[in-house]
Amino acid sequence: MALPRPLAQGSPEVALVTWEEGVCLSEVIRRPFTASSMEDSEIAARMTAAKMLARVFWKLLFRHRIALGGLCAGNVLLRTAMDDEDHYQVVLLRCGLCRQVDQATVDDVREIASAVHRGASPRELGELFLSRVHGRAGGRPEEVVDPEGFYSSIASLLGLTCLAESGGSGVTQPLRGALLLHRGLEKLRSHGVRASAAHLQVATAAVAAHGVCSRLDPFSDGCLYEALLEVEGGKF
């Protein structure tokens, strides 16, 4: 990953930085991701860019306590690495919506991700949300609306609930990435579970990152989960 280098501070609100070359990702993702209409090199470039962005997101969060907010394709360039033309480099042009995250919130995210990775039960995950998210936001256990329904909602999100409502059989497909985050926040609100501003900032930043990565590489679902395992898997 690369960033524009600061050259001078024109004013408290304006800084002069280096001009960076590359192909804007907004141009890249305009082309549909189909093997029949793309060359192998273009497919590889898009997959590489998605993986690099996903790794950058988690490294900034877990190692530097920074939530990479406002990530969009128009703020990212893709180019060949200056020291190796066989490799690609991602350039982040603007990071104005980044937020410093406190260590407690980072630990909460790591603990919840670890629980999901090891296959924790819906009740265990629910209790973790109540203690690490709801409790830190000032919520009390008695404020939760229909606790059993809350645990069932988590089971549904994880793809463990049978399709009884539609008369189908089997289990639902697990939600991942941005969709899982969005549905999770909806479930929290519907059951009166609170979330701090810091938790919401991290979740919103992850949704934006997943959106860009999944448009680059739809087949790997944005590779945000795989990148999380690469960055933090040894601690789970």
Side-chain angles (χ1 to χ4, degrees), residues 6 58 71 94 116 125 166 190 196 209 223 230:
W58 292 120
L71 183 64
R94 288 180 290 275
V116 173
L125 279 173
S166 60
S190 65
S196 68
C223 62
E230 287 184 27

Side-chain angles (χ1 to χ4, degrees), residues 118-190:
R118 69 172 184 269
S121 68
R123 181 171 291 275
E124 182 181 352
L125 279 173
E127 292 174 349
L128 190 59
F129 269 105
L130 294 182
S131 62
R132 302 298 290 260
V133 179
H134 181 65
R136 282 199 58 221
R140 300 188 303 274
E142 59 270 21
E143 294 176 339
V144 179
V145 178
D146 185 16
E148 292 302 320
F150 174 60
Y151 299 137
S152 297
S153 296
I154 293 177
S156 178
L157 287 175
L158 294 175
L160 302 177
T161 301
C162 293
L163 301 176
E165 295 84 356
S166 60
S169 59
V171 297
T172 60
Q173 291 297 316
L175 299 175
R176 300 181 67 187
L179 187 56
L180 176 59
L181 287 168
H182 274 302
R183 296 282 180 84
L185 292 176
E186 290 174 0
K187 296 300 182 183
L188 291 178
R189 287 194 298 268
S190 65

Side-chain angles (χ1 to χ4, degrees), residues 54-55 58 176 220-231:
R55 285 197 295 265
W58 292 120
R176 300 181 67 187
S220 68
D221 194 37
C223 62
L224 216 64
Y225 181 70
E226 289 78 6
L228 171 62
L229 295 182
E230 287 184 27
V231 174

Side-chain angles (χ1 to χ4, degrees), residues 66-80:
I66 294 175
L68 181 59
L71 183 64
C72 69
N75 289 340
V76 183
L77 298 180
L78 179 64
R79 67 189 182 194
T80 55

Side-chain angles (χ1 to χ4, degrees), residues 21-234:
E21 299 284 351
V23 179
C24 184
L25 285 193
S26 60
E27 296 293 329
V28 175
I29 62 179
R30 286 179 182 175
R31 295 190 61 185
F33 193 102
T34 56
S36 60
S37 64
M38 300 171 62
E39 296 182 357
D40 291 344
S41 59
E42 185 175 356
I43 294 176
R46 291 179 63 154
M47 294 175 66
T48 298
K51 291 177 181 178
M52 293 178 69
L53 281 174
R55 285 197 295 265
V56 165
F57 176 83
W58 292 120
K59 285 181 179 179
L60 285 175
L61 179 64
F62 289 120
R63 299 181 184 178
H64 303 284
R65 295 189 291 111
I66 294 175
L68 181 59
L71 183 64
C72 69
N75 289 340
V76 183
L77 298 180
L78 179 64
R79 67 189 182 194
T80 55
M82 295 182 180
D83 57 348
D84 188 349
E85 292 186 355
D86 292 330
H87 291 81
Y88 294 96
Q89 186 178 51
V90 168
V91 184
L92 297 181
L93 296 180
R94 288 180 290 275
C95 306
L97 296 179
C98 289
R99 294 289 184 269
Q100 191 74 50
V101 181
D102 61 277
Q103 186 60 49
T105 298
V106 173
D107 292 341
D108 292 342
V109 174
R110 181 182 286 115
E111 184 68 22
I112 293 171
S114 176
V116 173
H117 177 64
R118 69 172 184 269
S121 68
R123 181 171 291 275
E124 182 181 352
L125 279 173
E127 292 174 349
L128 190 59
F129 269 105
L130 294 182
S131 62
R132 302 298 290 260
V133 179
H134 181 65
R136 282 199 58 221
R140 300 188 303 274
E142 59 270 21
E143 294 176 339
V144 179
V145 178
D146 185 16
E148 292 302 320
F150 174 60
Y151 299 137
S152 297
S153 296
I154 293 177
S156 178
L157 287 175
L158 294 175
L160 302 177
T161 301
C162 293
L163 301 176
E165 295 84 356
S166 60
S169 59
V171 297
T172 60
Q173 291 297 316
L175 299 175
R176 300 181 67 187
L179 187 56
L180 176 59
L181 287 168
H182 274 302
R183 296 282 180 84
L185 292 176
E186 290 174 0
K187 296 300 182 183
L188 291 178
R189 287 194 298 268
S190 65
H191 289 278
V193 179
R194 299 187 188 184
S196 68
H199 286 111
L200 291 175
Q201 286 174 352
V202 171
T204 302
V207 167
H210 175 83
V212 174
C213 292
S214 61
R215 290 190 66 189
L216 279 169
D217 183 10
F219 294 154
S220 68
D221 194 37
C223 62
L224 216 64
Y225 181 70
E226 289 78 6
L228 171 62
L229 295 182
E230 287 184 27
V231 174
E232 287 290 300

